[in-house]
Structure formats: C-alpha cells, structure tokens
Amino acid sequence: MLKHYKNLCVLFTVAVMSVLFIGCGDDDDDFSTDKPIDASIKTTDGNLLAVRQVERTKFYYDDSENLVGINSAHYVSWDVLGSELTDNEGTTIRLRLNGNGLITEAVVQVDISEEDGSYEKSDMKVSFSYNSSNQLTGYSCHSSYEEFFADEDWYEIDEGKASLTCTWRDNCLVKAVIQSSGTDKEGESKSKMYDYPWTDTQTMEYEYGTQENVIRQMPRILGGYIIDLEECFEDLSYLGLFGAGPSYFPSRMSDEWKETYVYYEDGKKIQKDEGSKTYTYSMSYSLNSNGTIRTENINGKSFPYYYDERETRAITAEAEVNDLSPIKRHFRSHRHAKRTTNQ
C-alpha cells in the first residue's frame, strides 16, 4: 500500500483528520495501554461526534466511548487497547500522545513466523512535530526490515529513513515535502547479497477555494497522503490525531515524484534515474449542517463520512470486526527490482 515509499519496506502509516479547538500540551513520558484514544470531533453546534465510518473503514467503541477496534478498508482488523494497536498476524503499533491527544511518536514492530521457517521482522520509529497552532509540521522516521522465504531460500534485508516537512500559510497547508532514502538487500545468504540503494523525493502542493472548514477537520487528501506511511495511519487519520486541518478545504493538489534506484542486469549494477512524474487531483466537498464533512470527492471518487453522537456511539460488532479477508503482507517493497541471476 505504501504510496509514498515504494522501496522503504517498513515505512508505514496514522495520518490526519481533525483535532479541533485545542491548546498545546506536554508530551507523555511513557507509552500506555491504560489511556484511551479520544476520537471525538467538536462541531459548530457544540456537540461531540465520533467518526463511525469513512468509505469502507469502520471504527468501533465500547460503552465508555473509547476506541476499541478498526475494521479497515485495507482488509486488516486492529484491536485497540489504550494507545496500542495490534492486528492478528504479528504487528504491534504503540503510540505516544501529548496532552492535546496528538500523536508525537509511533513505534511499529512486526514479528511473523511461518511453519516452514519463513519469517518477517521489522522495526520502525516515527517522531511527529507540531507548531503552536497544533498543525503538523513534519516527521522523521527510521526503519529496518528482514524477511526470509524458506521455499526459495532467499533473504531480504532493508534499511531506510524518511522525513516530512510541511509549510502552512494563513492556516492552510500549501506544501509538503517527503524525502526518503535507503538500501534494499537480497540474496541467498546474509553474507552474499545484492544491494539496491534508492532515493525518493515527493512534493505535494495544495490550492484552496472559498469553502470554509470551520471546525478544521483534516480531509483525506491531506492526511491520507502526507502521512501515508502505513495503512493503519490512513485509517487513524480520520480520528483527529495529527493536529488541526486547514481553515479552507483544498480544491486541487499536485503530487510530484522524483526517484533514483539501482538494479542488476546480467550481473552488472545499473543506476536508474526515473526523473520526475506529476499527478494532479481535484477535490470538492459536501458538508453537514454542523460543519463536518459529509462527502469528499477526489478525482470523481466519493468518500462518504458517517458519525455518531458520543452518548449513542457504542457499537457491538465483534463478529464483523473479526470476519476479514487475510491480512496483506506489510512493509513489502512496491518498487523492488526484479531478481536476476548474477552470471
């Protein structure tokens, strides 16, 4: 899924939606499973709502209105205990939140073992920063990944890092730059491997119309793209965990990619410069009377949002949460060069 890090096998994803009318606070010193995630949105009429569903992603809460589960559109089920998330195949995400409920750090660990001896292990740490207006200003990330395919007697070992820099103007995000680099290695043994260094630079620029975002809800086209490190981050982006959104809704976004990587041909190492590619997106929004997003349209595709009032939002859906397609393998390279035989 990693749209933003095709080669960084362990970079993953909690993106952004709305944290509304909040002040600054101190960071928590410890990760905790005792402190629940506050996933409420304050509307223009003063009510508090919980996001129940965005497109096919569903959120579940207990009777105390705490987030307890996510049924993701990416075919992954997450159990939530305080600020710790776990799936059913060996992935754990631990979040550190500050006094405002914003995520300042995420640690992701994957530990998957198969009966035939195959395994997948990875570690990743992401640190997030905010300005005095509780707007996301960037992140820094480092990751490591190792996977062994027993049926092919083949190893993949990867190291990578990434950083995000956001530029805000008049309370609107106008530019976000992601720079990432790393080295992917693969081979029949750890002592004899092909190495594939790579670099990516992604630049997203936003234009805005006149439609006001009164409650500063973070739309998908911002949160789902600038913090698209892992599928779960995109899901959690709808819950307001990464700061306040823009004061107006964006109407257009350009997404430019520049990347270089190395591959092998007839046993020779070749560096490839892909140059740049630019994609454009047009957006429009319909709103509810209380200021929340009803539908976000991106290049003609609609993403509906659904909400529950806090006092009536508890849902019992254990069967539905657990009835999921098999989880897709995490942290796999989307741009891995084809393996070739060194002759």
Side-chain angles (χ1 to χ4, degrees), residues 61-102:
Y61 305 87
D62 62 16
D63 290 332
S64 299
E65 301 177 340
N66 300 322
L67 181 69
V68 294
I70 301 172
N71 188 350
S72 174
H74 302 291
Y75 307 105
V76 181
S77 172
W78 294 96
D79 293 322
V80 182
L81 178 62
S83 57
E84 182 175 283
L85 293 81
T86 56
D87 70 5
N88 57 355
E89 290 205 1
T91 303
T92 300
I93 301 177
R94 302 170 66 209
L95 306 174
R96 175 174 285 133
L97 284 70
N98 65 14
N100 299 322
L102 306 182

Side-chain angles (χ1 to χ4, degrees), residues 25-317:
D26 296 330
D27 287 350
D28 243 339
D29 290 332
D30 300 304
F31 293 103
S32 175
T33 58
D34 299 325
K35 298 180 181 179
I37 294 176
D38 183 359
S40 60
I41 295 176
K42 187 175 182 180
T43 65
T44 55
D45 54 18
N47 291 328
L48 293 178
L49 301 181
V51 178
R52 173 166 54 88
Q53 182 174 344
V54 178
E55 198 198 16
R56 292 181 294 112
T57 295
K58 298 180 181 180
F59 301 92
Y60 300 96
Y61 305 87
D62 62 16
D63 290 332
S64 299
E65 301 177 340
N66 300 322
L67 181 69
V68 294
I70 301 172
N71 188 350
S72 174
H74 302 291
Y75 307 105
V76 181
S77 172
W78 294 96
D79 293 322
V80 182
L81 178 62
S83 57
E84 182 175 283
L85 293 81
T86 56
D87 70 5
N88 57 355
E89 290 205 1
T91 303
T92 300
I93 301 177
R94 302 170 66 209
L95 306 174
R96 175 174 285 133
L97 284 70
N98 65 14
N100 299 322
L102 306 182
I103 295 173
T104 58
E105 187 173 303
V107 174
V108 179
Q109 294 178 315
V110 176
D111 191 350
I112 301 173
S113 298
E114 307 290 348
E115 291 183 357
D116 66 355
S118 299
Y119 63 83
E120 177 182 353
K121 300 178 185 295
S122 66
D123 289 278
M124 181 183 199
K125 181 178 180 180
V126 192
S127 298
F128 300 91
S129 58
Y130 304 87
N131 60 22
S132 60
S133 298
N134 292 308
Q135 297 162 335
L136 181 71
T137 57
Y139 65 64
S140 61
C141 172
H142 182 270
S143 61
S144 61
Y145 168 90
E146 181 176 328
E147 186 164 11
F148 174 63
F149 303 89
D151 57 340
E152 303 175 34
D153 196 24
W154 195 264
Y155 290 90
E156 292 183 3
I157 300 177
D158 309 311
E159 295 279 344
K161 61 181 180 180
S163 64
L164 166 71
T165 303
C166 296
T167 302
W168 293 79
R169 185 178 303 128
D170 297 326
N171 287 318
C172 289
L173 178 66
V174 294
K175 189 175 183 178
V177 179
I178 299 173
Q179 295 180 307
S180 54
S181 61
T183 300
D184 299 345
K185 298 179 180 180
E186 56 183 37
E188 295 179 354
S189 69
K190 294 183 180 180
S191 60
K192 184 179 180 181
M193 308 189 81
Y194 296 101
D195 61 297
Y196 301 88
W198 57 271
T199 62
D200 283 346
T201 300
Q202 182 184 10
T203 303
M204 291 161 282
E205 296 185 295
Y206 292 89
E207 298 176 9
Y208 291 82
T210 59
Q211 189 174 21
E212 192 172 1
N213 183 8
V214 177
I215 66 171
R216 300 290 180 87
Q217 190 170 350
M218 186 70 78
R220 176 191 179 96
I221 195 64
L222 270 72
Y225 282 75
I226 65 175
I227 317 179
D228 185 18
L229 297 173
E230 200 270 348
E231 292 158 349
C232 181
F233 282 11
E234 179 181 338
D235 297 334
L236 287 174
S237 70
Y238 304 120
L239 302 183
L241 301 177
F242 286 95
S247 57
Y248 289 85
F249 286 105
S251 58
R252 186 178 183 277
M253 189 261 274
S254 65
D255 186 3
E256 181 186 50
W257 284 83
K258 294 181 180 180
E259 55 186 351
T260 63
Y261 60 93
V262 166
Y263 68 98
Y264 288 81
E265 186 173 288
D266 296 327
K268 296 181 179 180
K269 195 173 185 179
I270 300 173
Q271 179 165 317
K272 176 72 172 179
D273 186 349
E274 286 285 353
S276 63
K277 298 177 183 178
T278 301
Y279 306 90
T280 59
Y281 301 86
S282 297
M283 295 78 72
S284 62
Y285 298 84
S286 63
L287 306 180
N288 297 305
S289 59
N290 58 16
T292 57
I293 298 174
R294 177 187 301 165
T295 304
E296 182 174 8
N297 299 291
I298 303 175
N299 279 0
K301 179 176 174 59
S302 295
F303 297 88
Y305 290 62
Y306 303 93
Y307 309 88
D308 286 324
E309 292 186 7
R310 283 182 61 101
E311 58 269 24
T312 60
R313 75 185 187 181
I315 300 174
T316 302

